[in-house]
């Protein structure tokens, strides 16, 4: 079985096809880390590039993201030890009061596609939940998403809570979402801002000195 098939199915966003392919790969004993590192991750990076060039659109990127997630869900129980390269852990969430999920989920998939281990806390995540997750998981990056002008201040409150709990200096903090700007990000003391999901993965790598 060829890795190109994984690549093609992620690019097509063929969820059912990739599920069947992944089950087949597992039953044939294919190297899981190779499927992820040489098949799924480069494919998702290609999707990000095509989106940035204007050759793919958000619904297509979402289909690719779901295909990659479906394959990962089948592969994860078969990952042995430290066979998959990780660029570091990321704690990700949509901030308190905000239920918008789609963009944040895409950001998570692009981060996974860039080799990060993503812990998605979901939506309406309070500053305390971010702090507790950082304490438990010791991530390299905290990513926050907000889609409402009324919930943007919760990003600042979360950064304050991370500072007060003494964990802020060990983290790279990345923020984004439709109403968020680079100026707003620096005004609340975030380390970085990205306009879209591929940009978030790239910015996280840049801030960690990985590119
Ligand atoms: Co809401 N909503 N919504 N909504 N909703 C918006 C955001 C709005 C702009 C619509 C409008 O009025 N034109 C408006 C916000 C106005 C404002 O504050 N500026 C709005 C409103 C007002 C509301 C409610 C208050 C409506 C009401 O009840 N009166 C309510 C609030 C609920 C709450 O959160 N407490 C509400 C509810 C909802 C639904 C539940 C119905 C649904 C969300 C469903 C879900 O997510 N599961 C919803 C939706 C779907 C939207 C729109 C239509 C689409 C949002 C979306 O998914 N976009 C939106 C209007 C619009 O954007 N056209 C709207 C696609 C997604 C891929 O893009 O999320 O921007 P986006 O993510 C991008 C980038 O922003 C960036 O990368 C992503 C991918 O490239 N990005 C990051 C995002 N997070 C990032 C993090 C990063 C870096 C980049 O670093 C960590």
């Amino acid at each position: 079985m060829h890795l190109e098939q994984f690549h093609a199915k992620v690019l097509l966003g063929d969820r059912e096809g990739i599920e069947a392919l992944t089950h087949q790969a597992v039953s044939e004993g294919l190297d899981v880390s190779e499927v992820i590192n040489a098949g799924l991750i480069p494919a998702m990076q290609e999707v990000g590039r095509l989106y940035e060039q204007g050759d793919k659109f958000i619904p297509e990127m979402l289909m690719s993201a779901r295909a990659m997630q479906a394959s990962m869900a089948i592969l994860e129980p078969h990952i042995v030890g430290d066979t998959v390269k990780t660029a570091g852990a990321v704690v990700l969430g949509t901030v308190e009061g905000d239920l918008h999920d789609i963009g944040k989920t895409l950001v998570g998939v692009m981060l996974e596609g860039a080799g990060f281990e993503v812990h998605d806390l979901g939506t309406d995540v309070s500053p305390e939940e971010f702090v507790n997750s950082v304490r438990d998981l010791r991530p390299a990056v905290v990513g926050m998403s907000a889609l409402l002008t009324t919930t943007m201040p919760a990003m600042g409150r979360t950064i304050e809570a991370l500072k007060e709990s003494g964990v802020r200096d060990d983290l790279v903090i990345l923020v984004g979402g439709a109403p968020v700007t680079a100026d707003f990000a620096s005004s609340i003391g975030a380390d970085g801002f990205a306009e879209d999901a591929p940009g978030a993965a790239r910015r996280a790598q840049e801030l960690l000195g990985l590119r």
Side-chain angles (χ1 to χ4, degrees):
M1 187 183 311
H2 299 291
L3 291 172
E4 292 86 66
Q5 287 178 267
F6 279 92
H7 197 275
K9 291 197 185 303
V10 170
L11 271 131
L12 282 172
D14 178 3
R15 183 180 171 151
E16 283 176 13
I18 208 167
E19 281 176 340
L21 183 67
T22 312
H23 282 301
Q24 192 187 338
V26 167
S27 68
E28 288 174 7
L30 206 77
D31 184 343
V32 171
S33 65
E34 204 183 337
V35 171
I36 297 172
N37 292 323
L40 300 178
I41 290 179
M44 206 57 216
Q45 285 167 341
E46 174 72 5
V47 170
R49 267 194 301 277
L50 291 168
Y51 168 76
E52 285 177 324
Q53 286 168 15
D55 293 329
K56 272 202 185 284
F57 299 96
I58 282 173
E60 293 168 294
M61 192 158 65
L62 274 175
M63 285 171 69
S64 292
R66 288 186 185 129
M68 175 163 174
Q69 283 176 320
S71 181
M72 285 291 293
I74 297 165
L75 292 172
E76 264 160 17
H78 302 277
I79 296 172
V80 187
D82 203 15
T83 51
V84 177
K85 287 182 281 177
T86 168
V90 180
V91 162
L92 179 68
T94 303
V95 294
E96 191 167 53
D98 199 321
L99 302 175
H100 294 86
D101 197 43
I102 300 164
K104 180 267 301 159
T105 301
L106 264 180
V107 168
V109 173
M110 291 310 299
L111 285 165
E112 273 175 5
F116 287 93
E117 178 195 321
V118 177
H119 301 272
D120 188 338
L121 306 184
T123 60
D124 190 17
V125 181
S126 68
E128 295 71 30
E129 287 172 89
F130 274 107
V131 168
N132 290 338
S133 296
V134 167
R135 284 201 173 122
D136 289 348
L137 301 163
R138 296 278 159 202
V141 180
V142 165
M144 287 183 268
S145 179
L147 262 286
L148 300 170
T149 44
T150 50
T151 57
M152 285 165 63
M155 291 179 154
R157 287 199 298 278
T158 303
I159 294 177
E160 285 310 310
L162 290 165
K163 279 186 191 161
E164 279 162 23
S165 63
V167 294
R168 195 272 172 260
D169 291 344
D170 305 327
L171 294 169
V172 156
I173 299 180
L174 188 64
V175 296
V180 179
T181 62
D183 283 349
F184 175 77
S186 57
S187 77
I188 58 169
D191 299 306
F193 156 79
E195 249 175 45
D196 57 24
R202 214 178 30 250
R203 197 75 190 101
Q205 289 173 320
E206 283 165 3
L207 289 164
L208 292 171
L210 300 173
R211 62 185 293 145

